[in-house]
Amino acid sequence: MSTFQAPKGTYDLTPPRSATFLAVREAISAPLRDSGYGYIETPGFENVELFARGVGESTDIVTKEMYTLTTKGGDQLALRPEGTASVLRAALEANLHKAGNLPVKLWYSGSYYRYERPQAGRYRHFSQVGAEAIGTEDPALDAELIILADQAYRSLGLRQFRILLNSLGDKECRPVYREALQTFLRDLDLDEETRRRIEINPLRVLDDKRADVQKQLTGAPKLRDYLCDACKAYHEEVRALLAAAGVAFEDDEKLVRGLDYYTRTTFEFVHDGLGSQSAVGGGGRYDGLSEMIGGPELPSVGWALGVDRTVLALEAEGVELDLPATTSVYAVPLGEEARRVLFGVVTELRRTGIAADFAFGGRGLKGAMKSANRSGARYTLVAGERDLAEGVVQLKDMESGEQTAVPLAEAAAELAKRLG
Ligand code: ATP
Ligand code: MG
């Protein structure tokens, strides 16, 4: 161990577990890539004001969790705590919404930073894959995103996840509900901070995890009773499309994603094997966000799935991903001359697209064969002085244990044939 350790609340991804992370990112993004979503990458930090406005002044993310810094030039920046605000900012900046091709469908994958109390499934650096569909109001688009996330989780072999669904109303009906809720909440016995929250973002009080608060919330006005006809119809259509696609969901009227610009469809993916950090992903419609950050009216919908918690969910369910071995051929030279010759064969194999590795460092047969085994290679090539004198290499099938001498000049072609 060195003098240094990974900072508190972070961890390193190292082989072999890191391969699972790559596979999860790949599996989550595959359905998006097959559905018209283009890849977008934005900086790891943004102007702090973008998140203050685009995530919300009253959210935990902005009030408590952001890593902010002042540059030597005096700019106020923040490490990105989430993806949506940055992606929308970038789409507007590149005028993607003006290309006459709405919705603009984008996916991303990267690192996010939140100053949180570290615990299982909650880190200060974590990884998300996300999707945003910008500029179109269409219940089929909301349904598409939920269906694609469901498809992604299923393709990984996850089964114990549930989809929670709700509608938060729109700018017509939400304010009426907000006021009714505020009136109800003001009469409760709540602490200072929560009382402040009633005035800034009352819906988030519904999300309070404390039992004594939840007890007082029975009898709170329900958003469902306040939805306008347009919102009701929209929500029914999303539900019908999900049902038609065979995607099971649960109506959860307590599900609020407490940002002021969130509208209509909201959803969360929860996994039952994760304890208290059960949300593996979440998303929803954010029709007001573009205007909040100075853009035109662009009704949009998106989600972000947490890669770390998805891996934990796989582990909780005991799902082993079927990860193909990264190395197909492992070469073991015995002696100086063999080293030169087999290194040449390995180079040739790699150039023809066959994944190959080599026993570096002049190791003995036993140690080198151990490495060959560990590499997962289907074949090893072994050659010593006597083999070279005969112009052959020993090709060993690691599955059957069968070993055959193959003319050196034909080794690469023979391996290509056997590996299909
Ligand atoms: P939570 O309620 O657990 O704090 P959140 O609502 O803050 O989650 P989102 O902002 O919706 O989370 O982010 C989407 C996903 O990103 C989450 O469902 C989760 O899988 C993951 N995520 C969020 N914060 C963290 C974190 N600190 N560590 C690991 N994963 C995280
Ligand atoms: Mg959080």
Side-chain angles (χ1 to χ4, degrees), residues 117-385:
R117 195 167 67 78
Q119 49 201 294
R122 190 176 293 288
Y123 313 106
R124 293 182 171 176
H125 165 264
F126 58 98
S127 168
Q128 290 183 337
V129 174
E132 316 290 351
I134 298 163
T136 305
E137 194 176 72
D138 183 339
L141 199 53
D142 307 40
E144 167 175 288
L145 277 163
I146 296 171
I147 292 166
L148 293 177
D150 177 80
Q151 189 181 324
Y153 285 140
R154 281 183 192 285
S155 77
L156 284 165
L158 283 176
R159 292 295 174 265
Q160 292 163 26
F161 68 90
R162 291 177 291 130
I163 301 173
L164 310 179
L165 185 68
N166 195 19
S167 171
L168 292 182
D170 64 5
K171 59 175 184 267
E172 301 306 321
C173 55
R174 177 91 145 269
V176 185
Y177 171 70
R178 188 176 191 269
E179 222 172 286
L181 182 63
Q182 279 176 324
T183 307
F184 173 88
L185 294 173
R186 284 184 194 125
D187 283 341
L188 303 183
D189 177 26
L190 298 165
D191 58 282
E192 258 321 291
E193 194 188 334
T194 312
R195 299 201 76 81
R196 254 198 314 278
R197 192 169 288 163
I198 295 174
E199 304 311 319
I200 311 167
N201 199 337
L203 268 73
R204 277 202 49 237
V205 179
L206 298 177
D207 204 19
D208 202 306
K209 304 282 190 285
R210 290 170 297 183
D212 61 306
V213 177
Q214 279 303 325
K215 214 163 90 198
Q216 296 190 66
L217 291 175
T218 33
K222 297 201 179 343
L223 184 49
R224 193 202 297 160
D225 300 330
Y226 285 78
L227 289 186
C228 62
D229 288 343
C231 282
K232 264 187 214 155
Y234 193 97
H235 197 55
E236 281 317 307
E237 183 63 12
V238 174
R239 296 175 78 252
L241 289 167
L242 291 177
V247 171
F249 58 88
E250 296 167 24
D251 293 306
D252 181 357
E253 60 188 15
K254 281 229 184 94
L255 180 68
V256 290
R257 302 187 45 86
L259 318 191
D260 275 342
Y261 58 79
Y262 265 121
T263 47
R264 292 193 167 169
T265 315
T266 41
F267 49 87
E268 204 159 86
F269 295 85
V270 293
H271 191 275
D272 291 326
L274 291 185
S276 50
Q277 265 58 252
S278 62
V280 286
R285 192 153 263 290
Y286 50 92
D287 293 347
L289 177 57
S290 174
E291 286 154 296
M292 297 281 284
I293 63 169
E297 191 183 336
L298 284 172
S300 307
V301 55
W303 51 240
L305 309 188
V307 175
D308 309 73
R309 286 190 201 167
T310 302
V311 172
L312 291 175
L314 288 168
E315 290 168 358
E317 279 198 46
V319 178
E320 294 254 358
L321 297 184
D322 186 19
L323 301 173
T326 46
T327 301
S328 300
V329 179
Y330 198 95
V332 178
L334 304 171
E336 266 311 293
E337 178 61 12
R339 199 170 71 92
R340 257 176 250 120
V341 171
L342 284 192
F343 189 71
V345 176
V346 163
T347 301
E348 189 186 345
L349 287 170
R350 289 171 175 168
R351 285 181 178 151
T352 59
I354 292 173
D357 204 356
F358 184 77
F360 290 97
R363 309 171 59 192
L365 181 62
K366 208 168 144 211
M369 285 311 284
K370 218 182 246 172
S371 299
N373 260 318
R374 213 174 286 147
S375 78
R378 176 66 200 274
Y379 296 101
T380 49
L381 284 177
V382 186
E385 261 167 50

